[in-house]
Amino acid sequence: MPPLFETTLKTRLDCGARFQPGQQLGVPSHDARRSMFFGGGFPGFDQEEMMGRRPRGEVNTSKFYEALEVDKGASQDQIRKQYRKMAAKHHPDKGGDDEKFKEIQKAYEVLSDPEKRQQYDRYGEEGLENGGGGGGGGPSDLFDILSGRQRQRQPQGARKGQNVVHQLSVSLEEIYMGKTRKLRMRREVIEPGSMMSCTDCGGKGMNIRVVRMGPMIQQVQEGCRACDGQGSQYQSKQVQEVMEVVVPKGAPDGYKLTFHEKADEIPNGIPGDVVFVLQEVAHPEFKRKGADLYVKRTISLVEALCGFRMELTHLDGRKLLIKSAPGQVIAPCHYDPFKGEEAVEWETHSNMDCPDLETIAKADTDDIDKLKQVISKGQLRGKGVGAFRVANGKSTFYRASAEQVHASLRPAKGVTLYTLADPAKSAAQRMMMAVEGEGMPVFKSPMEQGNLFLILDIQFPDAIDAHAAAALKAALPSPLHAPKVADDDAEYDVCELRKLDPVASFKATVNDAANDATQEDEREQGGGGGVQCAQQ
């Protein structure tokens, strides 16, 4: 076989050409050989089609330009400005269509990249399939687009510099109204034209050092000292830049605002990001939970029974006059919204079961605490478990709602059934006085707002006049406890209530019992004491 034919065959096989058994392979002609080695492709193959870049049929190269509403000859600056305008107009956070916004994003990703734009202008959207011109991912943050913080295209495999993280303290007023802060930051940039390959290591970043140890010679690889192992030498300078940090309305505590590639520049790589982490400063009057605000006030019993009015200055400076509805009675509420995760309440049913419900799991244990923990925090969390039964040391878990569980209750001797408490009951115990729509703006939906809750402590009087008590009895509903026994009945001992500290009472009784037990032990053991302790 001629050497030229061997080279031709090997090249065609390496490039993915498929040959059927028995196919005749002739020696390429002179023109074919010339085309092969001088950029004309392979005989019988369209090089662009073989690489997946030539589309089939008519090519549409104007779709992305129409999406951004720019001409085909628009500059990069014109495309960038138009993208910000279109993205702000059609962003889902401002009521825009999600599909339209994704189309705008996809168009900008392609047209803002010179290589992708050139490929799109020649082959259309189909020509980008192998080149990766898609616009995947979710919508960019609207604040990133408007403030220029949107991530730029990062070359695949490029080394990235270290991120710089700053904690930014913000008040509750700034989060409520939104705030734009201009912060001066210093960063190191590489002087244009000063980048050059290190002459000591030849751009490798490593040097080989020969170490002689007697008759042995060892080669040791170490980082280049001239370029600090970077492979390049350059000159840098410190510059000062002003960054506009936009604090979004309703932003949560710990929210991160990222300025992509705004950290120190590095040789042969991409600068890191500057990240601002919002730290919410505690407010002296308002407390926040999600989009809801809480204010604590103490009211008298008269206000709780007969109505009250209070003034409040809101976070944006507005003056609010909050009052109860006519005839509304305010009852004490013991629910603490800041206590943490609310414990799941269970009801116990002896000799009851729900055999008709769906069984989703079983366990060989009757440890009630562990079974409840598996449902609330373990592998059955979020699986819709509404009840579990325990019998003969084993347990069965049922998937059902509270209504389904109570409708399926059946007598079952020797079975103990544990069911989730009715959520309506626990909700009734959590009801608090609130002003609707006066909470924080909902994050990324600033037109919606949470609620303003009042944590009201009712102050009761220490004593009340007898005439006033009689008037209250006449105005209030009848007592729930109305004994028919007279105070001078000889069969009853009359006891009066007084205020006592339960903690002090407990300590006093425990200490007395402990002292008596110790003295009894000493008397039984002849006063010597019990356990002997060896002192070290």
Side-chain angles (χ1 to χ4, degrees):
M1 181 183 294
L4 177 59
F5 181 78
E6 292 179 353
T7 305
T8 305
L9 177 59
K10 181 178 185 303
T11 306
R12 294 182 67 176
L13 289 173
D14 288 343
C15 292
R18 297 181 180 179
F19 298 93
Q20 302 298 329
Q23 181 178 353
Q24 298 295 323
L25 300 176
V27 179
S29 65
H30 173 75
D31 293 336
R33 291 196 301 267
R34 179 178 179 86
S35 173
M36 182 187 309
F37 293 105
F38 293 94
F42 300 107
F45 291 87
D46 188 317
Q47 185 176 3
E48 292 180 338
E49 183 176 354
M50 183 175 67
M51 298 302 291
R53 291 186 305 209
R54 173 170 293 181
R56 300 175 182 177
E58 188 176 351
V59 177
N60 183 359
T61 59
S62 59
K63 176 183 176 182
F64 289 165
Y65 292 97
E66 293 173 356
L68 291 180
E69 298 181 3
V70 295
D71 297 330
K72 284 193 173 184
S75 64
Q76 289 293 323
D77 188 56
Q78 291 174 327
I79 291 175
R80 181 170 59 255
K81 290 181 179 179
Q82 183 65 11
Y83 166 70
R84 291 186 183 179
K85 177 181 176 181
M86 296 286 291
K89 177 181 178 182
H90 296 280
H91 200 281
D93 289 351
K94 302 190 76 174
D97 181 64
D98 187 59
E99 294 301 322
K100 176 66 175 177
F101 183 77
K102 288 181 179 179
E103 183 181 348
I104 293 171
Q105 272 195 306
K106 184 176 181 180
Y108 178 70
E109 183 176 348
V110 173
L111 299 184
S112 62
D113 188 310
E115 294 181 7
K116 290 183 179 180
R117 182 179 180 182
Q118 183 181 10
Q119 194 171 357
Y120 174 76
D121 289 341
R122 293 182 63 187
Y123 309 116
E125 190 174 0
E126 185 180 345
L128 296 169
E129 291 180 358
N130 293 331
S140 300
D141 195 296
L142 177 60
F143 300 102
D144 288 350
I145 297 171
L146 297 179
S147 61
R149 296 189 288 108
Q150 190 179 17
R151 183 189 301 273
Q152 301 296 319
R153 178 176 178 266
Q154 179 174 326
Q156 187 175 3
R159 185 169 63 95
K160 188 172 182 179
Q162 188 174 3
N163 292 345
V164 178
V165 180
H166 295 281
Q167 305 295 328
L168 183 62
S169 298
V170 289
S171 65
L172 204 55
E173 288 87 351
E174 291 175 325
I175 300 176
Y176 183 87
M177 295 182 289
K179 180 74 173 181
T180 299
R181 288 191 182 181
K182 293 185 177 181
L183 303 177
R184 298 181 182 273
M185 303 292 298
R186 300 189 68 86
R187 62 188 294 237
E188 185 176 342
V189 298
I190 298 175
E191 291 276 10
S194 66
M195 181 77 67
M196 58 184 301
S197 180
C198 178
T199 56
D200 285 23
C201 63
K204 298 178 181 179
M206 306 293 293
N207 284 326
I208 303 298
R209 183 166 59 92
V210 178
V211 179
R212 295 182 178 272
M213 301 179 62
M216 300 177 59
I217 298 177
Q218 184 179 9
Q219 290 185 340
V220 180
Q221 183 174 282
E222 60 183 8
C224 179
R225 298 181 180 179
C227 64
D228 293 330
Q230 296 179 352
S232 302
Q233 293 177 330
Y234 58 93
Q235 295 180 351
S236 63
K237 62 179 180 181
Q238 290 281 336
V239 297
Q240 190 176 70
E241 295 186 4
V242 177
M243 296 184 180
E244 290 192 357
V245 181
V246 179
V247 179
K249 290 184 178 181
D253 186 28
Y255 181 66
K256 295 181 180 180
L257 298 164
T258 303
F259 289 78
H260 299 285
E261 302 176 14
K262 288 296 183 180
D264 293 340
E265 293 183 353
I266 60 173
N268 303 320
I270 299 173
D273 302 332
V274 176
V275 182
F276 293 95
V277 182
L278 301 185
Q279 282 191 333
E280 181 182 313
V281 179
H283 196 275
E285 188 168 21
F286 291 90
K287 293 189 72 175
R288 176 192 183 192
K289 186 176 183 180
D292 294 327
L293 288 174
Y294 291 82
V295 174
K296 190 172 184 178
R297 287 287 189 274
T298 300
I299 62 175
S300 65
L301 180 61
V302 173
E303 291 174 302
L305 296 176
C306 305
F308 82 103
R309 294 155 57 96
M310 61 173 281
E311 299 177 16
L312 179 68
T313 302
H314 213 313
L315 293 170
D316 57 356
R318 289 181 296 120
K319 303 289 185 180
L320 303 182
L321 176 60
I322 302 174
K323 60 181 183 178
S324 57
Q328 187 179 47
V329 176
I330 300 174
C333 178
H334 302 289
Y335 171 69
D336 185 359
F338 301 97
K339 189 176 182 179
E341 187 176 354
E342 189 175 358
V344 179
E345 296 183 5
W346 293 88
E347 295 178 351
T348 305
H349 305 269
S350 298
N351 297 319
M352 299 294 288
D353 195 5
C354 295
D356 299 332
L357 296 179
E358 177 188 0
T359 300
I360 64 170
K362 294 184 178 182
D364 294 331
T365 179
D366 58 359
D367 190 324
I368 304 303
D369 292 334
K370 288 184 178 180
L371 294 174
K372 292 179 179 179
Q373 190 172 10
V374 168
I375 298 172
S376 60
K377 299 180 180 179
Q379 63 191 61
L380 293 181
R381 182 178 181 180
K383 302 297 184 181
V385 176
F388 67 93
R389 55 162 280 175
V390 176
N392 300 323
K394 297 184 178 181
S395 57
T396 303
F397 300 89
Y398 298 122
R399 190 206 310 270
S401 64
E403 294 79 7
Q404 292 173 328
V405 170
H406 288 283
S408 304
L409 288 175
R410 301 286 186 275
K413 189 176 181 180
V415 177
T416 303
L417 184 69
Y418 296 85
T419 64
L420 283 175
D422 187 355
K425 295 181 181 179
S426 58
Q429 298 173 356
R430 297 195 305 266
M431 298 302 289
M432 301 176 65
M433 293 295 160
V435 182
E436 289 187 280
E438 286 294 347
M440 295 289 294
V442 177
F443 182 51
K444 293 192 175 181
S445 297
M447 301 304 294
E448 303 177 22
Q449 286 189 274
N451 301 314
L452 172 61
F453 287 90
L454 302 182
I455 303 176
L456 298 176
D457 289 337
I458 301 175
Q459 189 176 57
F460 286 77
D462 294 332
I464 191 170
D465 183 76
H467 297 289
L472 281 175
K473 283 184 178 180
L476 296 176
S478 302
L480 297 178
H481 301 278
K484 298 180 180 180
V485 179
D487 290 353
D488 57 355
D489 193 319
E491 295 183 5
Y492 290 84
D493 292 332
V494 179
C495 305
E496 289 188 356
L497 293 173
R498 57 173 298 190
K499 290 183 178 180
L500 292 176
D501 182 2
V503 175
S505 175
F506 172 77
K507 289 182 177 180
T509 55
V510 169
N511 291 338
D512 291 343
N515 292 334
D516 291 344
T518 302
Q519 294 174 2
E520 183 67 23
D521 291 341
E522 290 179 352
R523 284 195 298 268
E524 291 179 357
Q525 299 174 9
V531 179
Q532 300 293 326
C533 298
Q535 300 293 329
Q536 299 293 331

